[in-house]
């Protein structure tokens, strides 16, 4: 049965780290709206210019822009057995849009849909954000304190220089948290009411969270 997995949780709760591993484990595409938008910014497309003006303020990018990107991805052949969707939806409006996209793509087919919520103590998150580094080629995520690269500043896999995200400053991170609590956090109740919410404790090491995640995914 097709597995549709979406991930909820505040900035830096570890969604990207875990969903990168999960996509390899399941051999499903990892669809990460933050990275897709940053790729548009890097290419300096019209969509990228619009996205940048919102991301730089820690706000959500307009719903139609993200919806178009996601609609195309979820309808593509590589999602036919399932997908790992990281960073979408981020508002009730986007969640309703996702329901419409899935209904159109899946038709009468039976699917397993899980919304996996990373429950975490928020005081650790700013520290994680300001110490994050990532690989501009493969997207591997590092942390100067919690997941250092083997050779400082270089990706273990690609050996290219690691970069810091433009929105990983303390000031923008605070805005991202405000946006998260206003617009995204209500999705926990939204999916709980639909009976598809799976909460995991996202405190602890990357390995500890991974084990908890696999229990939910394989249940
Ligand atoms: P996005 O890129 O999705 O950012 P985010 O949601 O703020 O999430 P993060 O990527 O910051 O964190 P994460 O949970 O993936 O944590 P990670 O694994 O990296 O979105 C960026 C922006 O794009 C948004 O603000 C918005 O403007 C726009 N956008 C995106 N989607 C949108 C949408 N649907 N609609 C509208 N706008 C949208 O981990 C963080 C750090 O901690 C890393 O350094 C990692 O190594 C480390 N770490 C991970 N796990 C652990 C652990 N267990 N212990 C210690 N350290 C850990």
């Amino acid at each position: 049965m097709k597995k549709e997995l979406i991930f909820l949780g505040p900035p830096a709760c570890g969604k990207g780290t875990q969903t990168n591993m999960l996509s390899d484990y399941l051999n499903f595409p990892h669809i990460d709206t933050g990275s897709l938008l940053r790729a548009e910014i890097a290419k300096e497309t019209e969509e990228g210019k619009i996205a940048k003006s919102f991301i730089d303020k820690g706000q959500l990018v307009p719903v139609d822009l993200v919806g178009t990107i996601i609609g195309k991805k979820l309808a593509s052949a590589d999602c036919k057995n399932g997908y790992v969707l990281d960073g979408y939806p981020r508002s009730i409006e986007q969640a309703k849009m996702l329901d419409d996209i899935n209904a159109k793509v899946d038709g009468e087919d039976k699917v397993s849909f899980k919304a996996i919520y990373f429950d975490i103590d928020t005081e650790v998150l700013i520290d994680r954000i300001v110490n994050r580094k990532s690989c501009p080629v493969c997207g591997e995520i590092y942390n100067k304190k919690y997941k250092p690269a083997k050779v400082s500043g270089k990706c273990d896999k690609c050996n290219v220089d690691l970069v810091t995200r433009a929105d990983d400053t303390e000031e923008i991170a605070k805005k991202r948290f405000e946006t998260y609590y206003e617009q995204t956090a209500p999705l926990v109740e939204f999916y709980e009411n639909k009976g598809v919410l799976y909460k995991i404790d996202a405190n602890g090491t990357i390995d500890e969270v991974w084990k908890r995640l696999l229990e939910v995914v394989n249940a």
Side-chain angles (χ1 to χ4, degrees), residues 40 44-51 65:
E40 294 297 323
E44 298 184 355
T45 61
E46 226 19 74
E47 286 81 3
K49 285 180 197 154
I50 297 170
L65 196 160

Side-chain angles (χ1 to χ4, degrees), residues 186-204:
L187 288 176
V188 173
E189 195 181 344
F190 177 87
Y191 285 115
E192 204 156 34
N193 290 340
K194 283 175 171 264
V196 293
L197 189 84
Y198 295 80
K199 195 188 282 197
I200 65 165
D201 178 2
N203 296 291

Side-chain angles (χ1 to χ4, degrees), residues 9-18 32-35 37-38 54-55 58-61 66 86-90 94 128-129 131-133 141-143 146-147 165 167-168 176 202 204-206 209:
C13 66
K15 303 179 298 295
T17 300
Q18 298 292 334
D32 158 14
T33 44
S35 297
L37 293 167
R38 284 187 287 278
F54 289 89
I55 292 176
Q59 295 171 352
L60 294 186
V61 170
V66 186
D86 167 14
Y88 190 90
R90 287 199 194 219
Q94 290 188 4
R128 284 191 188 182
I129 286 181
N131 286 296
R132 173 166 42 198
K133 290 270 176 193
I141 303 166
Y142 296 88
N143 193 286
Y146 306 110
K147 191 190 167 196
R165 274 170 46 179
D167 60 345
D168 274 352
R176 283 159 58 199
T205 66
I206 292 172
V209 178

Side-chain angles (χ1 to χ4, degrees), residues 3 8 35 40 56 75 77 105 112 117 122 148 176 178 181 219:
K3 267 189 183 178
L8 305 172
S35 297
E40 294 297 323
D56 284 352
V105 173
S112 156
Y117 167 53
T122 48
R176 283 159 58 199
E178 280 171 26
Y181 286 109

Side-chain angles (χ1 to χ4, degrees), residues 3 5 22 25-26 114 116 211-219:
K3 267 189 183 178
L5 302 168
L22 189 63
Y25 173 83
L26 293 170
K114 289 181 182 174
I116 301 175
K211 284 189 190 114
R212 293 178 204 135
L213 175 59
L214 286 189
E215 278 173 27
V216 165
V217 168
N218 291 325

